[in-house]
Amino acid sequence: MDTALLRKHLRIDAVDPKILRRIALHEAGHALMAHHLAPGSVRKIILTPTGGETQRTPLPAALTKADIEDELATLLAGRAAERLSLGSASSGSGGPQSSDLALATRLALDLETRLGLGGEGLTHTDATVPQLLTDQARRLRVHKHLQNAKAHAMEILEARQAELNALAKELISKREISGEEVKEDLSLR
Amino acid sequence: MDTALLRKHLRIDAVDPKILRRIALHEAGHALMAHHLAPGSVRKIILTPTGGETQRTPLPAALTKADIEDELATLLAGRAAERLSLGSASSGSGGPQSSDLALATRLALDLETRLGLGGEGLTHTDATVPQLLTDQARRLRVHKHLQNAKAHAMEILEARQAELNALAKELISKREISGEEVKEDLSLR
Amino acid sequence: MDTALLRKHLRIDAVDPKILRRIALHEAGHALMAHHLAPGSVRKIILTPTGGETQRTPLPAALTKADIEDELATLLAGRAAERLSLGSASSGSGGPQSSDLALATRLALDLETRLGLGGEGLTHTDATVPQLLTDQARRLRVHKHLQNAKAHAMEILEARQAELNALAKELISKREISGEEVKEDLSLR
Amino acid sequence: MDTALLRKHLRIDAVDPKILRRIALHEAGHALMAHHLAPGSVRKIILTPTGGETQRTPLPAALTKADIEDELATLLAGRAAERLSLGSASSGSGGPQSSDLALATRLALDLETRLGLGGEGLTHTDATVPQLLTDQARRLRVHKHLQNAKAHAMEILEARQAELNALAKELISKREISGEEVKEDLSLR
Amino acid sequence: MDTALLRKHLRIDAVDPKILRRIALHEAGHALMAHHLAPGSVRKIILTPTGGETQRTPLPAALTKADIEDELATLLAGRAAERLSLGSASSGSGGPQSSDLALATRLALDLETRLGLGGEGLTHTDATVPQLLTDQARRLRVHKHLQNAKAHAMEILEARQAELNALAKELISKREISGEEVKEDLSLR
Amino acid sequence: MDTALLRKHLRIDAVDPKILRRIALHEAGHALMAHHLAPGSVRKIILTPTGGETQRTPLPAALTKADIEDELATLLAGRAAERLSLGSASSGSGGPQSSDLALATRLALDLETRLGLGGEGLTHTDATVPQLLTDQARRLRVHKHLQNAKAHAMEILEARQAELNALAKELISKREISGEEVKEDLSLR
């Protein structure tokens, strides 16, 4: 018996197409924002039935405040793409310590408490995220950084929604797009 | 000597029928709510003298706020079923970390603090449940999510109380009901 | 030489009769309350020179709020019996984690914070007892549960003080009373 | 050469007589108070150049509030004796977890938080001493228990200062006094 | 095939010249400040594509408040040099426990809480940095120390900006400068 | 080649004479204060290029409040001597857990929280130094004890500044002074 038929019969791989489209849009959002801010920095986009990944070149050793604000926008661009094309965000950018929201929160906190680039001046502290967020004023500053980054991501993606949808569609059909292909696709327009 | 007779004499297995009915109603509540929200998502219902279990298909990888609110209602539907048919809830939905109330509280907190879908915006924090609940405003938001989910569950079950009681009765007599049987039983009406 | 005489000479076993009577009354209080609320639930009462124990049948898997309030009254009935017949309570119901007061406090806190049956609604939290008791409102609710349970125990025992004293006396002379004997003694009246 | 002479020459054992007298008075205070509250409860008093010890019979298994208040007074009687006969207390009753003050503080806290005999009713909590003392009202209640116990010890010892000094003197010369001797010495008057 | 060509083709070692210049200026700032405050105290300056290091002679065993203020200025001089010559600071002085900002914060806190040289008098405490910074008044004093040190560094470097740029340029071309060379370069003017 | 010449060439042992004088004055301050309060209690003074030590006879087993205040003054006399003869204190009395300031803070806290000799009455608590110092009133009492001890040390040393300087000078030349020598030097005047 044909394995593919058997798998279909057992409903294995019967991926929910709505979920797949959401993940593809999410990754396309990350890739489009990264390319916009640093052309050539996307190495590969991957899509699997339960998740996706956008691989990028490493960040330089020394970042200014503006560099960090760009990175925050890139981290939140996946979520922004979902909201833009589907009308709602999902749990997909949150959850574990390696999630978009966890990384963005940690980076915004670093800016404030470990990099000397935020409202707390040069004082450096190495507390945990929950400890750092008990300070109300700091919490508001982090909230502000994330709101600004989200607005930045939304603005960039809104102006490029056709490219976003096209990139997501390509990702659904190919399941993997190389950095070279991303560059070609996005640089043509 | 007959083992069954001996067991009866020693009162082993002499399960309190009131407790058994309560557990059956509790599981029937979970199953009915899950079926209502996602037909076909119940895999099996099991009843033992000291507990029960409703097995479901896994949740998708990306959940919207509405998906999570549905999941909260399903988690609280066991308790709602007890209250509806017996006039009181019991300790059966509470207790350990794997209990309905623990899972629902954790999920409502995730929505607020780790998934970017609640009142705290995109800020992500990984504190423990007791730490997270020391924040009064957050505590009220969690309380609100659980109250809404409970009301949702009550509303759905109230409109289907005959099916609820029938499903519980069937569970008491069979001790195990397959997903197919649940689907047939509940789809007929 | 006779061992019993030698022991007496060395004052081994010279148990303080006042302490022995207090422990006997304490256990008789637990047993009488348990029997009153659930006839047949006492399995055995034991008295030793330095302590006592009332063994009971296990509690059912699902408890309502009323069931838990009864259990609190049973836990505090030992202390209530001391106060009733001796005019004062003692340290005997307190101390370690397995003491009457520790178990009653834990159970009242469970009702509030882990079973969804108290003033905090359905929110579940798994903090330690000292952490949970830092919340002033919760502390007052726990205090109230324990006061009510104590009043309930006092009321039941006051109406049965003759039986209480008789059961304690029997325990001092026999050192161990079976569940059957408890049932016979207490059901005659 | 004579060892004793050599030791004297090297100033070994050259104990400060003022320190020795203070320690002797301290232990005599414990012993006198213990004997006053429970005649026969002192087993032995020992004096060494750097410390002392008053050994007593174990406490009964169940203690009333009054029993605990007596125990607090006995624990503080060493310090009271120093103050009475030398005009000042010393560090001798404080310091490690096994010191008079540590034991008295722990016992006063138990009375309040683990034995159901204090101002906090029946609520039981197992926090550490530093945690328990962060509650201002509890701290004042503990302070009050210790002040009352100190006043009780002072009152008893003041009325028996001649016996106190005689017992301390006897201890300095004998270095060890048996329970029988204590009973004889103190019961004659 | 030539390895160097292959590496170039693969873009390995393609260091961003803007990042390299920033790191060189940062290290030149440390070295210039250290030399200004203690001629001869710079042992070596090193530059790599991803970071740099300024090695100095060890500090003496006993430091006055003025010595510590000088050390704070030297720690912040790297960041000051970036701001002076590039218009912005970067994340390069922050981050791990061994970063300039972490060391400066720790030293300013030591001055206040462990060395008896700050606003808290002689009281010594060994808490962690996050714990120490929860005290608002102490946080402000630390902030003040760092602000003063930053202003001191800016003032010294501003008056020597030509030397700073020359030293950074030399470092970019040589990648390593010995203490002797630093002394010669900076003492000529 | 001569080792001494080689060492000189390599600048090993090239001790900063200013640092050496500061350390010598610091130790002379401890020794002079200890001798003033308890003649004969200094066993040895040692000076090394990076530190010093004043060895004393052990304290008695029972200390009054006055004894502890004397000990605090001796601990702070090193710092007082630096300030007196050099116009400034240094980091030399602070730093690790075994430093003068750490020991003095711990002793002042013991007086308050473990020895029953301070403003908190007889209540004993075993918290860590950082925990104990979060109590504002206690912090002020500790501050007061240290200020008084510092003033006491300053007063004694000011009246004996010639002896202080002479003892420091002798220590620099000899590097080690025995208790007998200290006694002779300081008792002559």
Side-chain angles (χ1 to χ4, degrees):
Chain A
M1 193 187 183
D2 186 350
T3 310
L5 269 176
L6 177 62
R7 289 168 65 87
K8 195 176 173 187
H9 179 73
L10 295 174
R11 306 183 52 152
I12 297 169
D13 281 359
V15 180
D16 184 337
K18 277 169 60 187
I19 298 295
L20 201 65
R21 174 137 194 264
R22 186 178 280 279
I23 301 171
L25 277 160
H26 184 107
E27 297 306 325
H30 284 312
L32 204 149
M33 191 73 193
H35 178 82
H36 168 75
L37 292 168
S41 66
V42 176
R43 282 187 173 165
K44 195 189 281 189
I45 324 177
I46 299 169
L47 180 69
T48 71
T50 57
E53 195 186 346
T54 300
Q55 296 172 0
R56 293 187 287 145
T57 54
L59 292 171
L63 302 168
T64 63
K65 192 179 178 189
D67 295 334
I68 289 171
E69 287 166 348
D70 284 351
E71 181 62 17
L72 289 174
T74 306
L75 283 166
L76 299 185
R79 198 177 186 282
E82 291 184 53
R83 178 148 254 152
L84 198 64
S85 295
L86 300 174
S88 68
S90 77
S91 61
S93 48
Q97 292 281 9
S98 60
S99 65
D100 298 345
L101 296 183
L103 293 175
T105 300
R106 179 70 262 183
L107 188 52
L109 275 170
D110 277 2
L111 196 145
E112 291 290 332
T113 62
R114 302 187 353 137
L115 303 177
L117 299 171
E120 301 186 35
L122 304 178
T123 308
H124 178 288
T125 180
D126 243 352
T128 62
V129 171
Q131 287 169 340
L132 291 171
L133 290 174
T134 56
D135 181 302
Q136 187 64 19
R138 185 185 288 143
R139 205 154 137 175
L140 286 174
R141 284 196 300 271
V142 165
H143 186 75
K144 195 75 186 301
H145 287 303
L146 299 180
Q147 286 306 108
N148 291 345
K150 171 181 156 182
H152 187 196
M154 283 303 265
E155 189 196 332
I156 300 300
L157 296 185
E158 256 174 1
R160 288 156 185 78
Q161 200 169 352
E163 284 162 276
L164 176 71
N165 289 333
L167 191 59
K169 207 172 164 188
E170 187 186 347
L171 186 56
I172 292 170
S173 77
K174 290 188 180 168
R175 300 292 161 115
E176 184 171 324
I177 306 180
S178 74
E180 285 305 308
E181 290 170 309
V182 170
K183 208 152 49 170
E184 279 166 39
D185 290 356
L186 297 178
S187 304
L188 294 176
R189 290 152 232 243
Chain B
M1 194 186 183
D2 185 351
T3 309
L5 268 176
L6 177 62
R7 289 169 66 86
K8 195 176 174 187
H9 178 71
L10 294 174
R11 306 185 51 155
I12 297 169
D13 282 358
V15 182
D16 184 337
K18 277 169 61 186
I19 298 295
L20 201 66
R21 175 138 194 264
R22 186 178 280 279
I23 300 171
L25 276 160
H26 183 107
E27 297 306 325
H30 284 312
L32 203 150
M33 191 73 192
H35 178 82
H36 168 74
L37 292 167
S41 66
V42 176
R43 282 187 172 164
K44 194 191 280 189
I45 323 177
I46 300 170
L47 180 70
T48 71
T50 57
E53 195 187 347
T54 300
Q55 296 172 0
R56 293 187 286 145
T57 55
L59 293 171
L63 301 168
T64 62
K65 192 179 178 190
D67 295 334
I68 289 172
E69 287 167 347
D70 284 351
E71 180 62 18
L72 289 174
T74 306
L75 283 167
L76 299 185
R79 198 177 186 283
E82 291 184 52
R83 176 148 254 152
L84 199 64
S85 295
L86 301 174
S88 69
S90 77
S91 62
S93 49
Q97 293 280 8
S98 59
S99 65
D100 298 345
L101 296 183
L103 293 174
T105 300
R106 178 71 261 185
L107 188 53
L109 276 170
D110 277 2
L111 196 145
E112 291 290 332
T113 62
R114 301 185 358 134
L115 303 176
L117 299 172
E120 301 186 36
L122 304 178
T123 308
H124 179 287
T125 181
D126 243 351
T128 62
V129 171
Q131 286 169 339
L132 291 170
L133 290 175
T134 54
D135 182 301
Q136 188 63 21
R138 186 185 289 143
R139 205 155 138 175
L140 286 174
R141 284 195 301 271
V142 165
H143 186 75
K144 196 74 187 302
H145 287 303
L146 300 180
Q147 287 306 109
N148 290 346
K150 171 181 155 181
H152 187 195
M154 284 303 266
E155 188 197 330
I156 300 301
L157 297 185
E158 256 175 0
R160 288 155 184 79
Q161 201 169 349
E163 283 161 277
L164 175 71
N165 289 334
L167 190 59
K169 205 172 165 189
E170 186 186 348
L171 185 56
I172 292 170
S173 77
K174 289 187 180 169
R175 299 291 161 114
E176 184 172 323
I177 306 180
S178 74
E180 285 306 307
E181 289 169 310
V182 170
K183 207 152 50 170
E184 280 167 37
D185 290 357
L186 297 178
S187 304
L188 295 176
R189 292 150 230 244
Chain C
M1 192 185 184
D2 184 350
T3 309
L5 268 175
L6 177 61
R7 289 168 66 87
K8 196 176 173 187
H9 178 71
L10 295 173
R11 305 185 51 154
I12 297 169
D13 281 358
V15 182
D16 184 336
K18 277 168 60 187
I19 299 294
L20 201 66
R21 174 135 194 264
R22 186 178 280 278
I23 300 171
L25 277 160
H26 184 107
E27 297 306 325
H30 283 312
L32 203 150
M33 191 73 192
H35 178 83
H36 169 74
L37 292 167
S41 66
V42 176
R43 282 186 173 166
K44 194 191 280 189
I45 323 177
I46 300 170
L47 179 70
T48 72
T50 58
E53 196 188 346
T54 300
Q55 296 172 0
R56 293 186 287 145
T57 54
L59 293 171
L63 302 167
T64 62
K65 191 179 178 189
D67 294 335
I68 288 171
E69 287 167 346
D70 285 351
E71 180 62 17
L72 288 174
T74 305
L75 283 166
L76 298 185
R79 199 178 184 282
E82 291 184 53
R83 177 149 252 150
L84 198 66
S85 296
L86 301 174
S88 69
S90 78
S91 61
S93 49
Q97 293 280 9
S98 60
S99 65
D100 298 346
L101 296 183
L103 293 175
T105 300
R106 179 70 261 184
L107 188 53
L109 275 170
D110 277 2
L111 196 145
E112 291 290 332
T113 63
R114 299 182 4 130
L115 303 177
L117 300 172
E120 301 186 36
L122 304 178
T123 308
H124 179 287
T125 181
D126 244 350
T128 62
V129 171
Q131 286 170 339
L132 290 171
L133 290 175
T134 55
D135 182 300
Q136 188 62 23
R138 186 185 288 143
R139 205 154 138 177
L140 286 174
R141 285 196 299 272
V142 165
H143 186 75
K144 195 75 188 299
H145 286 304
L146 299 181
Q147 286 306 109
N148 290 346
K150 171 181 154 180
H152 187 194
M154 283 304 266
E155 188 197 331
I156 299 302
L157 296 185
E158 255 176 359
R160 289 156 185 79
Q161 200 170 349
E163 283 161 278
L164 176 71
N165 289 333
L167 191 59
K169 204 171 165 189
E170 186 185 347
L171 186 56
I172 292 170
S173 76
K174 290 187 180 170
R175 299 292 162 114
E176 184 172 323
I177 307 180
S178 73
E180 284 307 307
E181 289 168 311
V182 170
K183 207 151 52 170
E184 278 167 39
D185 290 356
L186 297 178
S187 304
L188 293 176
R189 291 151 229 241
Chain D
M1 194 185 183
D2 184 350
T3 309
L5 267 177
L6 177 61
R7 290 169 66 87
K8 196 177 175 187
H9 178 71
L10 295 173
R11 304 185 53 152
I12 296 169
D13 281 357
V15 181
D16 184 337
K18 275 169 61 187
I19 299 295
L20 201 66
R21 174 137 195 264
R22 187 178 280 279
I23 300 171
L25 277 160
H26 183 107
E27 297 306 325
H30 284 313
L32 204 150
M33 192 72 192
H35 178 82
H36 168 74
L37 292 168
S41 67
V42 177
R43 281 186 174 167
K44 195 189 280 190
I45 322 177
I46 299 170
L47 180 69
T48 73
T50 58
E53 195 187 346
T54 301
Q55 296 172 0
R56 294 187 285 145
T57 54
L59 292 172
L63 301 168
T64 62
K65 192 180 178 189
D67 295 335
I68 288 172
E69 287 167 348
D70 284 351
E71 181 62 17
L72 288 175
T74 305
L75 283 167
L76 298 185
R79 199 178 184 281
E82 290 184 54
R83 177 148 253 151
L84 198 65
S85 295
L86 301 174
S88 69
S90 78
S91 62
S93 48
Q97 292 280 9
S98 59
S99 64
D100 298 345
L101 296 183
L103 294 174
T105 301
R106 180 70 262 184
L107 188 54
L109 275 170
D110 276 2
L111 196 146
E112 291 290 332
T113 62
R114 301 186 356 134
L115 303 177
L117 300 172
E120 300 186 36
L122 305 178
T123 308
H124 179 288
T125 181
D126 243 350
T128 63
V129 170
Q131 287 169 338
L132 290 171
L133 289 174
T134 55
D135 182 301
Q136 188 63 22
R138 187 186 287 144
R139 205 154 136 178
L140 286 173
R141 285 196 299 271
V142 165
H143 187 74
K144 195 76 188 300
H145 286 305
L146 299 181
Q147 286 306 108
N148 290 346
K150 172 181 153 181
H152 186 194
M154 282 303 265
E155 188 197 331
I156 299 301
L157 295 186
E158 256 174 0
R160 289 158 184 77
Q161 199 169 351
E163 283 161 279
L164 176 70
N165 289 334
L167 191 59
K169 204 171 165 189
E170 186 185 348
L171 186 56
I172 292 170
S173 76
K174 289 189 180 170
R175 300 292 162 114
E176 184 172 323
I177 307 180
S178 73
E180 285 306 306
E181 290 169 309
V182 170
K183 207 151 53 170
E184 278 166 38
D185 290 357
L186 298 178
S187 303
L188 292 176
R189 291 151 230 242
Chain E
M1 193 185 184
D2 185 350
T3 309
L5 269 176
L6 177 63
R7 289 169 64 87
K8 197 177 173 185
H9 179 72
L10 295 174
R11 306 184 53 153
I12 296 169
D13 281 357
V15 180
D16 185 336
K18 276 169 60 186
I19 299 295
L20 202 65
R21 173 138 194 263
R22 187 179 279 281
I23 300 172
L25 277 160
H26 183 107
E27 297 305 325
H30 284 312
L32 205 149
M33 191 73 192
H35 178 82
H36 168 75
L37 292 168
S41 66
V42 177
R43 284 185 173 166
K44 194 189 281 189
I45 323 177
I46 300 169
L47 179 70
T48 72
T50 57
E53 194 187 346
T54 300
Q55 296 172 1
R56 294 187 284 144
T57 54
L59 293 171
L63 302 167
T64 62
K65 191 180 179 190
D67 294 334
I68 289 172
E69 286 166 348
D70 283 352
E71 181 62 18
L72 288 174
T74 306
L75 283 166
L76 299 185
R79 198 177 186 283
E82 291 185 53
R83 178 149 254 150
L84 198 63
S85 295
L86 301 174
S88 68
S90 76
S91 61
S93 49
Q97 293 280 9
S98 59
S99 65
D100 298 345
L101 296 183
L103 293 175
T105 300
R106 178 71 261 183
L107 188 53
L109 275 170
D110 277 2
L111 197 146
E112 291 290 332
T113 62
R114 301 187 353 137
L115 302 177
L117 299 172
E120 301 186 36
L122 304 178
T123 308
H124 179 288
T125 180
D126 243 351
T128 62
V129 171
Q131 286 169 340
L132 290 171
L133 290 174
T134 55
D135 181 303
Q136 188 63 21
R138 186 186 288 144
R139 206 154 137 175
L140 286 174
R141 284 196 300 270
V142 166
H143 186 74
K144 195 75 187 301
H145 287 304
L146 299 181
Q147 286 306 110
N148 291 346
K150 171 181 155 181
H152 186 196
M154 282 304 264
E155 189 197 332
I156 299 301
L157 296 185
E158 255 174 2
R160 288 157 184 79
Q161 199 167 353
E163 283 161 278
L164 176 71
N165 289 333
L167 190 59
K169 206 173 164 189
E170 187 186 347
L171 186 56
I172 292 169
S173 76
K174 291 189 180 167
R175 299 293 162 114
E176 184 172 323
I177 306 180
S178 73
E180 284 306 307
E181 290 169 309
V182 170
K183 208 151 51 169
E184 279 166 39
D185 290 358
L186 297 178
S187 304
L188 293 177
R189 290 151 232 241
Chain F
M1 193 186 183
D2 185 351
T3 309
L5 268 176
L6 176 63
R7 288 168 66 86
K8 195 178 176 185
H9 179 72
L10 295 173
R11 305 184 54 151
I12 295 169
D13 282 357
V15 181
D16 185 336
K18 275 170 61 188
I19 299 295
L20 201 66
R21 172 136 196 265
R22 187 178 280 279
I23 301 171
L25 278 160
H26 184 107
E27 298 305 325
H30 283 312
L32 204 148
M33 191 73 193
H35 178 82
H36 168 74
L37 291 168
S41 67
V42 177
R43 282 186 174 167
K44 194 189 281 190
I45 323 177
I46 299 170
L47 179 69
T48 72
T50 58
E53 195 187 346
T54 299
Q55 296 172 1
R56 294 187 284 144
T57 54
L59 293 171
L63 301 168
T64 62
K65 192 180 179 189
D67 294 334
I68 288 172
E69 287 167 347
D70 284 351
E71 181 63 17
L72 288 174
T74 305
L75 283 166
L76 298 184
R79 198 178 185 282
E82 292 184 52
R83 177 148 255 151
L84 198 64
S85 295
L86 301 173
S88 69
S90 76
S91 61
S93 49
Q97 293 281 9
S98 59
S99 65
D100 298 346
L101 296 183
L103 293 175
T105 300
R106 179 70 261 184
L107 188 54
L109 275 170
D110 277 2
L111 196 145
E112 291 291 332
T113 62
R114 302 189 350 137
L115 302 177
L117 299 172
E120 301 186 36
L122 304 178
T123 308
H124 178 288
T125 181
D126 243 350
T128 63
V129 170
Q131 287 169 338
L132 291 171
L133 289 174
T134 54
D135 182 301
Q136 188 62 21
R138 186 186 288 144
R139 207 154 135 176
L140 286 174
R141 283 196 300 270
V142 165
H143 186 74
K144 195 75 187 301
H145 286 304
L146 299 181
Q147 286 306 108
N148 290 345
K150 172 182 154 180
H152 186 195
M154 283 303 265
E155 189 197 330
I156 299 300
L157 296 185
E158 255 175 1
R160 288 157 184 79
Q161 199 168 352
E163 283 160 280
L164 176 70
N165 289 333
L167 190 58
K169 206 172 165 189
E170 186 185 348
L171 186 55
I172 292 170
S173 76
K174 291 188 181 170
R175 298 294 162 113
E176 184 172 324
I177 306 180
S178 73
E180 285 306 307
E181 289 169 309
V182 170
K183 209 151 51 170
E184 278 166 39
D185 290 357
L186 297 178
S187 303
L188 293 177
R189 289 150 233 242

